Amino acid sequence: MKFLSIFDVIGPNMIGPSSSHTAGACSMALLARKMCPEPIKKVIFTLYGSFSKTYHGHGTDRALLGGVLGFDTDDARIRDAFEWAKKMGVEYEFVIDEETRTDHPNTADMDITGVNGHHLFVRGESIGGGKIKIVQINGIDVEFTGEYSTLIVRQIDKPGVVAHITQCLSRHEVNIAFMRLFREDKGATAFTIVESDEQIPEEILDEIHKNENVQDLMLVQM
């Protein structure tokens, strides 16, 4: 029997009519913003499934843009997200895709470009009650919720890399809640995703980066 918390019943604190189409959309975009290592210059949103059909009426477009701007789900500025994007110098575009089938009907892609040219592609799903999942980063299938402090390591899939990561975590006494490896192919690009129910020390990033097969690191604190 699945456990239901009170938040599953009453939903999150939020602006907008729908926990899935508004709060969830905002949460996935805010998480994507936190994954980008520099301020965002431009984002292209691609909306699928029910997002593509109801995004105007449910405020999904404002919620996604608000999240990318750094607004939380209960931030009243979400209502004026288009105006705030102009003030903050963030370009945006919405692409509606009613043909492509995705695993979940409330799915959006966020193609992000930073002010210094950093590129990040994130696909998120709003799975109900304001809860979300990130299911793709830069074309590689992943899965994490953002409910925990999350360390995302992009690496070459070589022996010893995961052991190196776990050793660094152990030295800093990081309590691992979940740890998973996602890869596109053997020996190719992979992501190790570590979720912890406590803050992950930022100094651990330099240690992990010492491995020659580690390409990039993202740290999102809860």
Side-chain angles (χ1 to χ4, degrees), residues 57-117:
H58 284 179
T60 305
D61 47 2
R62 288 176 171 81
L64 285 167
L65 185 56
V68 160
L69 296 176
F71 304 161
D72 213 333
T73 57
D74 60 352
D75 194 321
R77 291 176 295 177
I78 289 173
R79 297 189 181 98
D80 302 311
F82 301 138
E83 289 78 8
W84 278 103
K86 186 175 181 180
K87 291 177 185 178
M88 298 167 74
V90 176
E91 302 172 39
Y92 61 90
E93 179 182 347
F94 289 93
V95 177
I96 306 306
D97 186 337
E98 296 182 345
E99 304 298 325
T100 301
R101 288 196 169 193
T102 55
D103 292 336
H104 195 282
N106 300 330
T107 298
D109 292 343
M110 293 157 280
D111 196 349
I112 295 169
T113 302
V115 294
N116 296 315

Side-chain angles (χ1 to χ4, degrees), residues 5 8 16 43-45 55 57 63-64 88 93 102 135 167 186 199 210 216:
S5 75
D8 294 316
V43 57
I44 300 172
F45 300 101
Y55 70 100
L64 285 167
M88 298 167 74
E93 179 182 347
T102 55
V135 296
Q167 288 166 5
K186 182 179 180 180
Q199 294 271 306
K210 290 177 181 177
D216 194 17

Side-chain angles (χ1 to χ4, degrees), residues 7-182:
F7 297 105
D8 294 316
V9 178
I10 65 174
N13 292 330
M14 67 179 194
I15 299 295
S18 170
S19 60
S20 293
H21 287 215
T22 313
C26 180
S27 293
M28 71 169 70
L30 180 60
L31 184 52
R33 174 192 169 91
K34 291 178 179 178
M35 292 166 60
C36 188
E38 60 190 41
I40 293 174
K41 177 183 179 182
K42 181 177 180 180
V43 57
I44 300 172
F45 300 101
T46 302
L47 309 185
Y48 303 96
S50 62
F51 271 2
S52 70
K53 295 177 174 61
T54 63
Y55 70 100
H56 275 314
H58 284 179
T60 305
D61 47 2
R62 288 176 171 81
L64 285 167
L65 185 56
V68 160
L69 296 176
F71 304 161
D72 213 333
T73 57
D74 60 352
D75 194 321
R77 291 176 295 177
I78 289 173
R79 297 189 181 98
D80 302 311
F82 301 138
E83 289 78 8
W84 278 103
K86 186 175 181 180
K87 291 177 185 178
M88 298 167 74
V90 176
E91 302 172 39
Y92 61 90
E93 179 182 347
F94 289 93
V95 177
I96 306 306
D97 186 337
E98 296 182 345
E99 304 298 325
T100 301
R101 288 196 169 193
T102 55
D103 292 336
H104 195 282
N106 300 330
T107 298
D109 292 343
M110 293 157 280
D111 196 349
I112 295 169
T113 302
V115 294
N116 296 315
H118 183 89
H119 179 253
L120 175 67
F121 176 92
V122 178
R123 172 172 287 186
E125 297 175 351
S126 178
I127 59 177
K131 297 182 180 295
I132 61 103
K133 288 194 301 185
I134 299 301
V135 296
Q136 198 175 104
I137 303 174
N138 294 344
I140 298 178
D141 293 337
V142 299
E143 185 176 328
F144 64 98
T145 65
E147 295 178 6
Y148 299 86
S149 292
T150 306
L151 173 66
I152 304 160
V153 184
R154 190 183 73 189
Q155 68 209 58
I156 302 298
D157 182 37
K158 296 288 186 181
V161 183
V162 174
H164 169 70
I165 295 168
T166 55
Q167 288 166 5
C168 293
L169 293 166
S170 177
R171 281 195 293 271
H172 286 268
E173 299 183 337
V174 174
N175 186 37
I176 299 172
F178 305 99
M179 183 171 179
R180 285 162 288 187
L181 175 71
F182 303 90

